Amino acid sequence: MSDEKTAGASAHSRNTRQQLITEYVFKAGSSSITELVELTGVSTMTVHRDVDELARRGLLRKYRGGVSAMPSTVFESNADYRMNVHSEEKMAIAAHALARVEPGMSILLDDSTSALALAKMLHRVTPLTVATNYLGAIELLKGVPDLRLICIGGDYSATHDSFLGMQSLEAIERINVDATFVSTSAMNTRMTFHQEPEIVMLKRAMLASARTKVLLMDHSKTERAALHRLAPLSDFDVLIVDDGVEEHLAEEMRSQVEVDIAEL
């Protein structure tokens, strides 16, 4: 085999192995290096190199002795991982959110998978104007009849599958919509949080651009915190959360905002 063919086969093998590692960690949430060595059948050093590359690409988070796809106070999960967790809860939340969308409205969607669940239902209430920086939502909505799609561009982030940066921020600040639907990675009964300051800035701009502000949160995000404060719960008009939320937390939240419980 020629050197060129050998290099090509090696790259294919590496890509296949890294895809296997990613899918395994996404499904399990986290894994030890030892587990990944057993999974792939390669050396510990090779697994470390693979994990280092996957961490550099923002797909996984490496820590001492292991790797994780789950969020922490300083690390947001990859969009592909978030797409597959609490999906039933997100669809129930989206159905309640859809009831707040009327034909003729203009709405703004953030790059959350909760907002993407809502995007999947918007064809039912056209005509609409929808603005978003989420590539997944853009791909989903681009062919919907009677839906005007405003694509918010900027610097593409593979981790979030969305457009970020100054261009995105300025585009959001130039529009005014009837409602914005956003989610974030963590909240308690008074405050919402996110791990990344750039994301915080964009979400705050989205809130400032909307007459009605709707927060979409599955119960797993409650009673958690992240590094940066996003906005007080009282800044939102409505919180939609699934029925997995503990009742005493829902009652405390009701002192800050209207709470809509989505039953599965």
Side-chain angles (χ1 to χ4, degrees), residues 98-117:
L98 186 68
R100 299 175 182 273
V101 180
E102 298 178 0
M105 287 179 64
S106 59
I107 66 172
L108 180 56
L109 305 179
D110 72 353
D111 61 356
S112 65
T113 52
S114 296
L116 184 64

Side-chain angles (χ1 to χ4, degrees), residues 190-206:
R190 293 185 177 273
M191 182 63 62
T192 59
F193 306 87
H194 199 278
Q195 294 91 339
E196 301 172 52
E198 187 173 29
I199 301 292
V200 168
M201 290 174 63
L202 284 186
K203 291 182 188 290
R204 285 178 178 173
M206 289 180 172

Side-chain angles (χ1 to χ4, degrees), residues 32-210:
S32 69
I33 295 296
T34 301
E35 286 179 282
L36 298 180
V37 169
E38 294 175 357
L39 175 72
T40 59
V42 297
S43 68
T44 300
M45 183 177 296
T46 299
V47 167
H48 274 289
R49 282 199 297 265
D50 286 337
V51 169
D52 285 342
E53 182 173 343
L54 292 168
R56 180 183 57 79
R57 289 161 52 192
L59 292 171
L60 302 173
R61 174 171 57 94
K62 188 179 183 183
Y63 58 88
R64 186 177 181 87
V67 61
S68 176
M70 297 182 289
S72 71
T73 57
V74 296
F75 175 86
E76 169 65 311
S77 297
N78 178 271
D80 289 340
Y81 173 74
R82 289 185 283 118
M83 192 82 68
N84 295 301
V85 293
H86 302 291
S87 54
E88 291 185 9
E89 289 88 341
K90 290 171 184 176
M91 293 303 292
I93 290 167
H96 278 240
L98 186 68
R100 299 175 182 273
V101 180
E102 298 178 0
M105 287 179 64
S106 59
I107 66 172
L108 180 56
L109 305 179
D110 72 353
D111 61 356
S112 65
T113 52
S114 296
L116 184 64
L118 172 59
K120 294 176 181 177
M121 303 177 181
L122 291 178
H123 65 279
R124 304 177 192 173
V125 289
T126 55
L128 283 176
T129 296
V130 182
T132 184
N133 67 323
Y134 192 2
L135 186 57
I138 291 170
E139 290 289 340
L140 183 69
L141 297 172
K142 66 182 182 182
V144 175
D146 297 323
L147 187 145
R148 179 189 180 193
L149 180 60
I150 300 174
C151 304
I152 298 171
D155 297 324
Y156 177 71
S157 166
T159 299
H160 301 284
D161 194 29
S162 65
F163 298 97
L164 309 175
M166 186 60 67
Q167 287 177 304
S168 301
L169 184 61
E170 290 178 348
I172 294 167
E173 290 174 341
R174 287 196 297 268
I175 62 176
N176 184 48
V177 297
D178 294 312
T180 187
F181 296 85
V182 304
S183 186
T184 191
S185 54
M187 67 176 293
N188 59 30
T189 57
R190 293 185 177 273
M191 182 63 62
T192 59
F193 306 87
H194 199 278
Q195 294 91 339
E196 301 172 52
E198 187 173 29
I199 301 292
V200 168
M201 290 174 63
L202 284 186
K203 291 182 188 290
R204 285 178 178 173
M206 289 180 172
L207 297 178
S209 296

